[in-house]
Amino acid sequence: MKLKNIISQEISSPLSSTTGISSDEQSEKTQVPIEDLINDHSNNTVFYRKHFGRLIAFIAKWYKQFMAQIRAEGSELRKSVTSDDVLILKRARLLFHLCSILPPLTYYFSRGYLAVDRPPKFPATISFTIRKGLPKKIQTILWAGGWALMYRLIHRRTKHASQHFYSSLLRRYTLQMIGTGVCTIELFPLGKSDTADIFHFMGAAKYMLDHIILMDVLKMKPLYRKMFFWSFGMLVLNCGVVRSIEVLAGIAKESDTS
């Protein structure tokens, strides 16, 4: 050990004596600048891969637990449904179907002071036709009525889960879905502003995707699920096609029309 210390002193002392630099100063000079460490792409790649992997694993675990619980509540809901409940579901379905029929008809065939646009825009999305005026009022009444029936049934049939109002995951999921629809249509109608349009499109996409889990809860037939995905895909595709037609025809896009 003594021989090791003597050798190390002999090696370090000439360097410090000749250069006049202490060992602390030497270590500082040999350290890599923090900017170089931050900008080291190889380290960044490893860092992001590690944390991204953890994030994906966390989301997958959370989603698995979420679906297990909501499917269990959905199973209990379906087991407890009565003939009266089926009638309520049919009424809610009718109101939701009318949401896609009556507002557009009102938009295109209203005349005089009831007309929303003169002339009406064609083709147009449902979001555009219900952004204001009589079509929006009809849409709000039908949509709210449908969800009132739907949520009343879900709340009543999941009441046994716990006495606490927010204990049922299915109740909370239904409420957030309703909240998404209210924010999308009432707070951020299409054409209000550029920022509102962004929130509108995000809300509309989320509201439609929320139906995927709801279809699972209600155990809808595969045919209806396939038709939903087909219609959703066609909507996304046609939005791009419509925009191309608007550019060629010199027509303002929907979000530019108040």
Side-chain angles (χ1 to χ4, degrees):
M1 288 296 292
K2 288 183 179 181
L3 181 60
K4 265 189 180 178
N5 293 335
I6 294 172
I7 293 173
S8 61
Q9 288 175 5
E10 290 295 330
I11 293 174
S12 61
S13 59
L15 182 62
S16 59
S17 61
T18 54
T19 59
I21 301 174
S22 65
S23 58
D24 292 338
E25 291 176 339
Q26 289 177 17
S27 63
E28 288 182 3
K29 288 202 169 188
T30 56
Q31 287 179 355
V32 180
I34 188 66
E35 292 84 0
D36 293 343
L37 291 174
I38 295 174
N39 296 325
D40 188 344
H41 296 294
S42 60
N43 287 338
N44 287 342
T45 302
V46 174
F47 174 84
Y48 288 125
R49 281 181 180 176
K50 180 180 178 182
H51 287 78
F52 183 73
R54 289 180 178 176
L55 177 62
I56 294 299
F58 171 80
I59 294 175
K61 182 180 179 181
W62 173 86
Y63 181 75
K64 184 178 180 180
Q65 295 174 346
F66 171 83
M67 289 304 299
Q69 182 177 346
I70 204 167
R71 279 171 177 164
E73 292 189 18
S75 177
E76 291 297 322
L77 171 69
R78 295 191 303 274
K79 290 177 182 178
S80 60
V81 167
T82 64
S83 57
D84 291 336
D85 294 333
V86 173
L87 182 60
I88 291 174
L89 286 173
K90 288 182 178 180
R91 289 172 179 171
R93 182 181 64 182
L94 175 61
L95 291 176
F96 287 135
H97 284 173
L98 290 175
C99 282
S100 301
I101 300 173
L102 292 184
L105 289 177
T106 305
Y107 173 79
Y108 285 111
F109 293 102
S110 293
R111 295 293 182 266
Y113 70 95
L114 293 177
V116 178
D117 295 319
R118 300 178 185 179
K121 183 181 182 298
F122 183 84
T125 62
I126 294 178
S127 293
F128 184 82
T129 60
I130 64 171
R131 72 193 192 281
K132 62 181 180 179
L134 183 60
K136 182 177 182 179
K137 291 181 175 61
I138 295 175
Q139 160 73 19
T140 300
I141 293 172
L142 294 173
W143 185 85
W147 270 117
L149 293 172
M150 192 77 180
Y151 181 76
R152 181 186 174 189
L153 172 63
I154 292 174
H155 180 79
R156 187 170 67 248
R157 292 306 171 192
T158 56
K159 194 173 183 180
H160 65 279
S162 176
Q163 296 300 320
H164 197 283
F165 182 78
Y166 293 106
S167 60
S168 169
L169 181 61
L170 183 55
R171 283 186 223 165
R172 283 179 284 165
Y173 185 81
T174 306
L175 286 173
Q176 70 81 27
M177 197 170 174
I178 296 172
T180 299
V182 171
C183 291
T184 302
I185 301 300
E186 300 298 331
L187 300 183
F188 305 110
L190 196 65
K192 185 177 181 180
S193 66
D194 291 339
T195 303
D197 289 343
I198 294 174
F199 283 107
H200 178 87
F201 288 123
M202 291 173 59
K206 182 186 178 303
Y207 181 77
M208 292 194 69
L209 293 174
D210 281 340
H211 284 76
I212 297 175
I213 294 178
L214 198 60
M215 287 189 296
D216 190 284
V217 169
L218 299 176
K219 285 296 178 185
M220 294 183 67
K221 294 180 179 179
L223 175 62
Y224 293 111
R225 300 191 195 194
K226 290 178 181 178
M227 292 300 294
F228 171 83
F229 287 113
W230 179 83
S231 63
F232 183 68
M234 290 300 295
L235 172 65
V236 175
L237 177 63
N238 288 333
C239 281
V241 174
V242 167
R243 183 58 193 144
S244 300
I245 295 174
E246 290 172 342
V247 172
L248 291 175
I251 302 173
K253 60 182 181 180
E254 289 186 347
S255 56
D256 289 340
T257 307
S258 60

